[in-house]
């Protein structure tokens, strides 16, 4: 007989103390005999203690209770073949075009009460299990909370996830979608693969109803000195109409125009976007609301003042080559956006006060290890070293595996720091936040060939922009459905709520703010906005018939019931003894 928790059988050792108690503390028995009665001597008799142990029914009842409870805790069960219980997995398309479809719950509701267990998988750019083996009521409540998002759906991946929920026993899958567009594999091909072994039966529920739509489908940015020339493409998927357009700048100033667009035509909208959040709005009602609005976030393109302290070297040359960066080698800390501390720089106490709200890049060399670093430098190590990227962060595009390190600092990460790159297990590039300030530690330049590589000035450009809050214009304007890895758990303000996350999925149109930065997300998906579908959908049908699977029958309840009966018997024996 198999057990789910065999270690619980160690509880059977509890019978040893029970036996010992009965051996060393036998209950005395009063025997009356006549004064003239002779006691027989010399006859071999069984020990009174052993006789008590064997003949006392209370001992056997207590032994049964201990054994039953130990075996029940071990989870005994039997395995046999039996019919599988009914299980339906609903795969719901959560893409933007579902906003123009018929209500999904109308398609799903007639199925729910026919099944004992319901699971729900939401198909977005990444599938998500919303409910696992709930009741029909729980399924209805979960489905009512689900709304389409401003993304495209990977229906195939969601179906594969749903198939894994049914892998053990088989069952039915209901895929609810408008089947206009998707990312990933063709859902019909995925259906054929999942149904190949005959254990799954999949039905497509079509919510498509079409509609007229007009959308912002693409955009381009050309940076200028302190501004961005932005061009947006508007496409009319419906009949001819007058399209009112409003452009709102960061200061709140607005500009409006009305454009006449024939059916199936494009209109290129160009304007100057200034630092901050710029908004484009198509002021009309159509099938999908998300693609009528777009946001353009322009980072602060003003020149950043950088103070370089220490010996001149490759880092100073790289800084001087950067656009929108003004490098100086002397001055008061508070007048600069960034301080770069290099070899032989003076450890001025004023820098400690500046760090609480400022930005510092520390280039490790032979100098002491100040307390404001995200690491504690304990010595040096000789190369060569293997670099391992833990979090690419601002260092995207740098081939760290090709950098030769001949000598590098030996360091230990401090609590609260984030290590981006390691060299032979030592933190070589890391950062942390001190109050409202930030410090980056770089040990990549103590003795290496990094400065000879073409990525070196790019590395400094990305690092300076990142620490001073000036991301690349392309990094500041994304498409919905993209994933951003923050490198640490941070508080994020989305267009609709606030949350703490280390990985951010852009599933709403609007502006996201985190770690002192902002990112605009727009749908820009012509396939999702078109609401046009060439072919119909083969719904299919659920295949009836019984299915068999391996069923485990738990025996614990029966053994617990036996223990309970034994306890009642023990109480009865003890009660009887008190009466006599």
């Amino acid at each position: 007989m198999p057990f789910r928790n065999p270690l619980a059988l160690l509880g059977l050792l509890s019978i040893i103390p029970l036996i010992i108690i009965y051996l060393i503390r036998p209950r005395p028995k009063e025997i009356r005999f006549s004064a003239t009665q002779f006691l027989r001597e010399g006859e071999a008799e069984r020990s009174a203690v052993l006789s008590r142990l064997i003949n006392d029914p209370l001992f056997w009842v207590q032994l049964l209770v201990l054994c039953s409870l130990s075996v029940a805790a071990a989870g005994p069960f039997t395995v046999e073949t039996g019919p599988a219980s009914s299980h339906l997995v609903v795969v719901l398309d959560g893409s933007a075009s579902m906003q123009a479809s018929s209500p999904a719950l109308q398609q799903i509701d007639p199925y729910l009460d026919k099944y004992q267990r319901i699971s729900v998988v939401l198909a977005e750019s990444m599938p998500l299990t919303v409910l696992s083996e709930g009741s029909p009521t729980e399924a209805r409540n979960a489905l009512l909370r689900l709304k389409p998002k401003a993304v495209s759906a990977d229906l195939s991946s969601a179906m594969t996830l749903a198939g894994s929920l049914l892998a053990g026993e088989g069952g039915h899958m209901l895929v609810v979608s408008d089947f206009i567009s998707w990312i990933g594999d063709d859902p019909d091909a995925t259906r054929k693969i999942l149904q190949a072994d005959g254990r799954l039966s999949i039905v497509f529920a079509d919510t498509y109803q079409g509609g007229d739509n007009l959308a912002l489908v693409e955009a381009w940015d050309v940076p200028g000195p302190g501004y961005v020339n932005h061009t947006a493409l508007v496409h009319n998927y419906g009949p001819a109409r007058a399209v009112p357009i409003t452009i709102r700048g960061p200061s709140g100033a607005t500009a409006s125009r009305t454009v006449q667009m024939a059916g199936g035509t494009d209109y290129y909208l160009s304007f100057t976007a200034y630092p901050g959040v710029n908004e484009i709005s198509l002021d009309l009602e159509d099938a999908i609301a998300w693609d009528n609005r777009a946001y353009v976030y322009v980072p602060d393109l003003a020149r950043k003042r950088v103070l370089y302290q220490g010996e001149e070297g490759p880092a100073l040359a790289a800084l001087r080559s950067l656009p929108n960066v003004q490098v100086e080698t002397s001055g008061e800390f508070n007048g600069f956006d960034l301080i770069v501390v290099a070899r032989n720089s003076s450890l001025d106490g004023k820098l400690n006060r500046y760090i609480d709200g400022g930005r510092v890049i520390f280039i490790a060399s032979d100098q002491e290890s100040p307390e404001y670093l995200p690491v504690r430098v304990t010595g040096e190590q000789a190369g060569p070293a293997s670099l391992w990227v833990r979090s690419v962060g601002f260092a995207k595009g740098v081939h760290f595996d090709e950098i030769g390190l001949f000598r590098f600092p030996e360091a230990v990460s401090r609590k609260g720091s984030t290590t981006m790159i390691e060299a032979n297990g030592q933190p070589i590039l890391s950062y942390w936040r001190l109050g409202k300030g930030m410090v980056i530690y770089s040990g990549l330049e103590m003795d290496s060939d990094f400065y000879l590589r073409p990525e070196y000035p790019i590395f400094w450009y990305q690092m300076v922009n990142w620490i001073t809050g000036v991301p690349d214009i392309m990094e500041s304007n994304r498409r919905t459905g993209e994933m951003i890895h923050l490198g640490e758990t941070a508080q994020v303000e989305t267009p609709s709520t606030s949350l703490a996350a280390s990985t951010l999925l852009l599933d709403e149109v609007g502006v996201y703010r985190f770690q002192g930065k902002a990112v605009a997300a727009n749908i820009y998906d012509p396939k999702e906005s078109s609401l046009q579908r060439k072919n119909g959908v083969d719904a299919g049908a659920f295949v009836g018939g019984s299915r068999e699977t391996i069923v485990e029958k738990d025996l614990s309840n029966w053994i617990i019931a036996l223990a309970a009966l034994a306890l009642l018997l023990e109480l009865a024996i003890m009660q009887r003894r008190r009466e006599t």
Side-chain angles (χ1 to χ4, degrees):
M1 180 172 57
F3 298 92
R4 292 190 179 89
N5 184 23
L7 290 178
L9 293 176
L10 293 175
L12 293 173
L13 296 176
S14 61
I15 67 176
I16 297 176
L18 177 68
I19 294 173
I20 293 175
I21 290 174
Y22 273 84
L23 286 175
I24 65 176
R25 298 187 64 183
R27 180 179 176 183
K29 185 175 180 180
E30 182 180 352
I31 302 177
R32 296 182 181 184
F33 57 90
S34 170
T36 60
Q37 181 179 356
F38 292 98
L39 299 177
R40 291 176 296 176
E41 296 181 1
E43 295 184 10
E45 295 184 350
R46 187 169 51 186
S47 168
V49 173
L50 291 177
S51 177
R52 168 66 182 166
L53 179 63
I54 296 173
N55 296 328
D56 192 343
L58 194 59
F59 167 79
W60 296 106
V61 172
Q62 291 173 345
L63 181 64
L64 178 61
V65 171
L66 292 177
C67 292
S68 299
L69 292 177
S70 298
V71 172
F77 63 93
T78 59
V79 177
E80 59 186 52
T81 301
S85 59
S86 61
H87 187 187
L88 173 70
V89 179
V90 177
V91 177
L92 178 60
D93 186 348
S95 64
S97 61
M98 288 292 286
Q99 194 178 56
S101 300
S102 60
L105 192 56
Q106 291 182 5
Q107 300 277 354
I108 303 170
D109 194 72
Y111 292 92
L112 297 182
D113 291 324
K114 300 177 182 179
Y115 295 85
Q116 296 172 332
R117 293 172 294 144
I118 311 290
S119 297
V120 179
V121 174
L122 181 63
E124 293 185 351
S125 52
M126 295 182 63
L128 174 66
T129 301
V130 177
L131 178 66
S132 180
E133 299 191 20
S135 66
T137 300
E138 290 174 325
R140 286 187 178 90
N141 292 336
L143 290 166
L144 286 172
R145 293 192 298 267
L146 299 180
K147 304 295 181 184
K149 296 291 186 178
V151 296
S152 293
D154 188 345
L155 291 175
S156 177
S157 294
M159 291 170 65
T160 302
L161 174 59
S164 69
L165 299 178
L166 295 168
E169 60 183 14
H172 292 170
M173 184 189 308
L174 181 67
V175 182
V176 184
S177 173
D178 55 17
F179 299 100
I180 291 176
S181 68
W182 52 80
I183 55 177
D185 296 333
D186 187 334
D188 194 48
T190 303
R191 172 166 66 172
K192 293 176 182 177
I193 294 172
L194 292 175
Q195 291 185 145
D197 62 359
R199 297 181 62 79
L200 297 184
S201 182
I202 303 175
V203 166
F204 286 171
D206 190 3
T207 63
Y208 178 74
Q209 63 181 19
D212 294 332
N213 196 42
L214 187 132
L216 291 154
V217 296
E218 190 58 271
W220 301 268
D221 291 303
V222 179
Y227 60 86
V228 168
N229 289 316
H230 182 82
T231 301
L233 174 60
V234 184
H235 186 83
N236 183 12
Y237 293 98
R241 68 183 82 187
V243 182
I245 303 174
T246 301
I247 301 171
R248 183 173 291 102
S251 64
T254 60
S256 301
R257 68 185 75 173
T258 299
V259 179
Q260 297 292 332
M261 295 187 65
T265 60
D266 294 327
Y267 174 73
Y268 290 88
L269 172 66
S270 297
F271 67 96
T272 300
Y274 293 97
V277 177
N278 302 261
E279 180 182 350
I280 307 171
S281 175
L282 307 181
D283 302 321
L284 47 76
E285 293 185 3
D286 57 7
I288 301 177
W290 288 307
D291 53 18
N292 292 344
R293 194 174 299 272
Y295 296 84
V296 184
Y297 179 73
V298 180
D300 183 6
L301 301 177
R303 293 175 67 86
K304 299 296 182 181
R305 296 188 65 206
V306 177
L307 175 61
Y308 182 91
Q309 286 193 319
E311 294 180 1
E312 294 189 8
L316 179 59
L319 285 168
R320 285 173 171 167
S321 69
L322 302 182
N324 297 326
V325 172
Q326 177 184 339
V327 183
E328 300 179 25
T329 56
S330 63
E332 293 294 328
F333 294 140
N334 292 334
F336 292 89
D337 301 295
L338 173 65
I339 311 297
V340 177
V341 180
R343 184 187 302 271
N344 292 334
S345 63
S346 60
L347 299 177
D348 195 327
K350 294 181 180 178
L351 184 58
N352 292 327
R353 296 188 292 273
Y354 166 84
I355 287 172
D356 185 59
R359 304 287 188 267
V360 173
I361 298 176
F362 183 89
I363 304 173
S365 57
D366 302 323
Q367 73 266 53
E368 297 179 8
S369 173
E371 289 298 316
Y372 59 73
L373 293 185
V375 301
R376 181 169 54 86
V377 179
T378 58
E380 296 181 7
Q381 286 193 15
S386 298
L387 296 181
W388 180 52
V389 179
R390 293 184 59 181
S391 174
V392 67
F394 57 78
K396 183 178 181 181
V398 179
H399 298 87
F400 288 100
D401 56 334
E402 300 176 0
I403 297 175
L405 285 185
F406 313 116
R407 188 166 55 98
F408 59 94
E410 183 180 80
V412 178
S413 298
R414 298 184 191 272
K415 185 179 181 180
S417 66
T418 299
T419 299
M420 298 175 61
I421 313 293
E422 288 184 352
N424 290 355
Q426 305 288 322
I428 199 75
L429 181 64
S430 60
Y431 68 90
W432 71 351
R433 300 178 187 277
L434 289 177
K436 296 182 179 179
M438 180 181 292
V439 179
I440 295 177
Y441 161 81
S442 174
L444 292 168
E445 303 185 36
M446 174 178 279
D447 187 5
S448 73
D449 62 2
F450 188 22
Y451 69 96
L452 298 175
R453 304 198 58 78
E455 303 104 316
Y456 183 72
I458 298 174
F459 169 78
W460 272 96
Y461 173 75
Q462 295 176 166
M463 181 164 58
V464 169
N465 283 348
W466 183 79
I467 196 172
T468 58
V470 186
D472 183 82
I473 187 67
M474 296 298 293
E475 294 295 317
S476 300
N477 294 273
R478 306 286 196 96
R479 294 178 185 269
T480 55
E482 292 186 27
M483 191 82 71
I484 298 178
H485 299 281
L486 306 182
E488 60 181 348
T489 300
Q491 196 67 26
V492 181
E493 292 184 14
T494 73
S496 62
T497 187
S498 179
L499 52 87
S502 59
T503 302
L504 178 61
L505 173 63
L506 305 178
D507 58 1
E508 298 180 72
V509 172
V511 178
Y512 296 75
R513 300 183 186 275
F514 53 90
Q515 297 174 334
K517 298 182 292 186
V519 170
N522 300 296
I523 187 168
Y524 292 153
D525 189 338
K527 292 182 179 179
E528 202 71 28
S529 297
S530 69
L531 299 181
Q532 297 173 2
R533 192 175 71 183
K534 294 182 179 179
N535 301 317
V537 175
D538 178 13
F542 288 137
V543 178
S546 61
R547 305 182 319 278
E548 290 190 343
T549 187
I550 301 301
V551 178
E552 294 182 359
K553 289 194 173 182
D554 189 7
L555 302 179
S556 299
N557 291 335
W558 293 101
I559 299 177
I560 292 174
L562 177 62
L565 290 175
L567 285 172
L568 293 175
L569 180 59
E570 180 183 4
L571 292 175
I573 293 173
M574 294 177 66
Q575 182 68 25
R576 181 178 179 81
R577 286 181 176 180
R578 283 197 295 269
E579 291 176 355
T580 60

